Amino acid sequence: MSPEAKGLNRRVFLFLQGPHGPFFNGLGRMLRSTGAEVWRVGFNAGDQAFWFDKASYIPFLDTPELWPDRLSELIADREITDIVLYGDTRPIHASAVKIAQANGVTVHVFEEGYLRPWWVTYERFGSNGNSRLMSLGVDQMRHALNQSTAQTPPPPSHWGDMRQHIFYGALYHWFVLFRNRRYRNFRRHRDLPVSKEFSLYFKRLALMSFHRLQRRWATARVLGSSHPYHLALLQLGHDSSVQSHSDYSCMSDFLADVIRGFANGAPAHHRLVVKEHPLENHREPLRHRVYALAQAHGIADRVHYVPGGKLAKLLDGASSAVTINSTAGQQVLWRGIPLRIFGKSVYDKPEFVSRQPLAAFFAGPMPPDQDAYQTYRRFLLKTSQVPGGFYSRRGRRQLLRGVADMMLNAADPYQSVLSHKEAQTPQLKLVE
């Protein structure tokens, strides 16, 4: 039963795991200032390090098997009305969503922005392949927008810094590696050891300048050629969007399909550009894998690898793009570039995502319906996309100014527009 149905005005928020860094701490402080009660469950020393109010911190020291019972006890004992988490697929969060739904508790889910890099995603009960967007059609969105009077918020003037993102990731894993003695039963939702994860983050941070030079050279080589090219947009192989919302378990398998399809279908004068994810930490030898596959298919001179970095310059000249379900697909569609995907995605709508077999797609990719995509994009901007970011101080300030009011609203972001009740939702204000 919802708090409103119980006749309760009091809101009690329970925070679980959040993005690396102090964003959840700031959000908890903001909600506390509204009169809400706020608690935080921590599962390791990294969680504890970024929650600064010791009185509201609850360490979970038992084995993961006991977590569902412990959460049910917390919901009952502390009269929890709301649970807040980042990503809904890691085991402790997936079970929390089910338990919350069974107890009438609202779940607030944060994710990286579907319209990155300028926004953060805020939804209820699920994100990515579990998002309510999966069941909404473009015609429903168009009808809701035609009835809506709310203004679409403009993009923010600044977004999260990649260096800060990497820094907070390294710092979080340092705490888990060197200060985790209290949490002996903690199990990571990823299969890589903490020590390896920390070393990869640290190495990535230390080599940022070198990688920047590599990237500029590789990008210049692609842009300096007159050959038409197609983009393969890689993701982090361990990311939940890949592991939980696709049939792939790693990028190497995806690359095998892409390079085979390109070799079988693309015109002989076309090139394939494999674009690495900006946060790739090389737990897979992707560059080596790309060139080995290209050599095996007899197209070694037609395949290029670009390490990390921003996407815009490469997209501007691309003939098409393929990805599993990366949010970068939104940038592809915004430019009207043909797109083929291979996983569940919130933007997988027949109006603008190709269903062609891969070889046929590379031979003659079908472009998206731009009017349909613009409708979809406007709907996202009026609902679940909140200006700001998790990692930079300025981005966090901007995000907090908008999202706390959205969390306190009885209607979720999509329902506010679908039911034409957006007037109940305070308009977002941007940082000057």
Side-chain angles (χ1 to χ4, degrees):
M1 185 179 296
S2 68
E4 291 76 18
K6 292 178 181 178
L8 299 176
N9 294 321
R10 178 166 157 269
R11 302 285 289 272
V12 183
F13 289 84
L14 181 67
F15 282 65
L16 303 185
Q17 290 193 297
H20 299 150
F23 169 68
F24 261 20
N25 182 75
L27 179 58
R29 190 168 58 246
M30 175 69 75
L31 290 171
R32 197 176 289 116
S33 72
T34 71
E37 187 176 333
V38 176
W39 298 92
R40 169 72 188 269
V41 175
F43 299 85
N44 58 52
D47 295 339
Q48 183 173 343
F50 288 111
W51 189 261
F52 307 136
D53 181 42
K54 295 182 180 179
S56 62
Y57 182 78
I58 304 169
F60 179 74
L61 306 177
D62 293 321
T63 61
E65 290 77 17
L66 297 178
W67 165 240
D69 289 339
R70 178 58 175 142
L71 177 59
S72 296
E73 291 173 2
L74 285 171
I75 290 174
D77 294 346
R78 302 184 190 256
E79 299 182 320
I80 302 298
T81 62
D82 301 77
I83 289 177
V84 188
L85 48 83
Y86 172 72
D88 63 327
T89 59
R90 63 184 70 180
I92 58 173
H93 287 174
S95 62
V97 172
K98 292 179 181 178
I99 293 167
Q101 289 176 317
N103 286 275
V105 173
T106 299
V107 180
H108 306 267
V109 182
F110 285 89
E111 249 303 354
E112 304 293 343
Y114 292 150
L115 299 179
R116 268 182 258 183
W118 295 303
W119 289 274
V120 158
T121 297
Y122 165 71
E123 298 177 285
R124 303 272 175 94
F125 293 104
S127 63
N128 293 312
N130 297 324
S131 167
R132 187 176 179 185
L133 285 170
M134 299 298 295
S135 62
L136 291 177
V138 174
D139 287 341
Q140 288 176 275
M141 299 177 187
R142 183 180 292 110
H143 177 74
L145 291 172
N146 288 339
Q147 304 298 316
S148 173
T149 58
Q151 296 296 312
T152 301
S157 57
H158 184 78
W159 63 284
D161 191 293
M162 185 64 67
R163 289 172 297 178
Q164 289 168 297
H165 190 162
I166 296 172
F167 168 76
Y168 281 127
L171 184 58
Y172 179 91
H173 286 94
W174 183 89
F175 278 107
V176 177
L177 183 60
F178 296 110
R179 292 288 187 270
N180 218 49
R181 181 175 298 179
R182 185 184 186 191
Y183 301 88
R184 296 181 183 277
N185 294 313
F186 171 65
R187 294 182 202 161
R188 306 182 71 245
H189 62 284
R190 296 174 181 168
D191 56 4
L192 202 66
V194 175
S195 57
K196 182 65 174 177
E197 188 102 35
F198 170 72
S199 67
L200 289 172
Y201 268 107
F202 185 81
K203 182 179 179 181
R204 185 71 176 172
L205 193 63
L207 295 176
M208 284 188 74
S209 296
F210 174 70
H211 289 155
R212 189 181 301 115
L213 291 174
Q214 276 190 320
R215 182 167 61 250
R216 287 177 178 174
W217 181 85
T219 302
R221 184 183 177 195
V222 172
L223 298 180
S225 170
S226 58
H227 292 281
Y229 63 89
H230 306 259
L231 286 172
L233 306 177
L234 300 187
Q235 298 168 242
L236 299 177
H238 61 268
D239 192 81
S240 63
S241 59
V242 175
Q243 296 295 322
S244 300
H245 302 302
S246 84
D247 293 330
Y248 292 103
S249 60
C250 63
M251 286 298 102
S252 293
D253 293 342
F254 171 64
L255 285 166
D257 287 345
V258 169
I259 292 175
R260 183 188 309 111
F262 181 82
N264 292 338
H269 63 292
H270 285 212
R271 301 292 185 262
L272 178 66
V273 178
V274 178
K275 168 67 170 59
E276 183 183 273
H277 189 278
L279 291 174
E280 177 58 53
N281 54 21
H282 305 124
R283 57 177 70 191
E284 288 184 78
L286 294 178
R287 185 196 297 267
H288 173 77
R289 182 65 171 155
V290 165
Y291 290 128
L293 286 166
Q295 183 73 35
H297 286 281
I299 55 171
D301 59 337
R302 297 172 56 198
V303 177
H304 304 277
Y305 189 89
V306 176
K310 297 181 181 179
L311 185 58
K313 289 183 178 180
L314 288 171
L315 268 181
D316 289 340
S319 297
S320 77
V322 295
T323 186
I324 296 178
N325 51 14
S326 171
T327 55
Q330 302 265 15
Q331 297 184 50
V332 177
L333 295 169
W334 183 69
R335 288 169 168 80
I337 298 171
L339 177 67
R340 180 72 164 84
I341 67 172
F342 296 85
K344 292 173 64 178
S345 170
V346 294
Y347 58 79
D348 184 13
K349 308 297 180 185
E351 292 87 347
F352 40 80
V353 174
S354 173
R355 299 289 194 267
Q356 297 168 272
L358 191 52
F361 177 80
F362 282 125
M366 296 179 63
D369 181 334
Q370 275 293 82
D371 289 339
Y373 179 69
Q374 291 303 324
T375 295
Y376 170 84
R377 185 180 176 88
R378 290 200 312 275
F379 184 80
L380 259 63
L381 288 172
K382 284 192 176 184
T383 54
S384 61
Q385 302 306 287
V386 190
F390 295 128
Y391 306 106
S392 72
R393 183 176 300 175
R394 187 176 180 185
R396 291 194 300 273
R397 286 201 303 263
Q398 188 168 39
L399 179 56
L400 288 171
R401 289 174 182 172
V403 79
D405 288 328
M406 296 175 71
M407 295 174 70
L408 294 171
N409 195 341
D412 73 34
Y414 303 122
Q415 191 60 35
S416 294
V417 172
L418 291 167
S419 62
H420 321 307
K421 295 180 180 179
E422 61 266 36
Q424 297 179 6
T425 303
Q427 294 301 298
L428 305 176
K429 296 181 181 179
L430 301 182
V431 175
E432 297 295 334

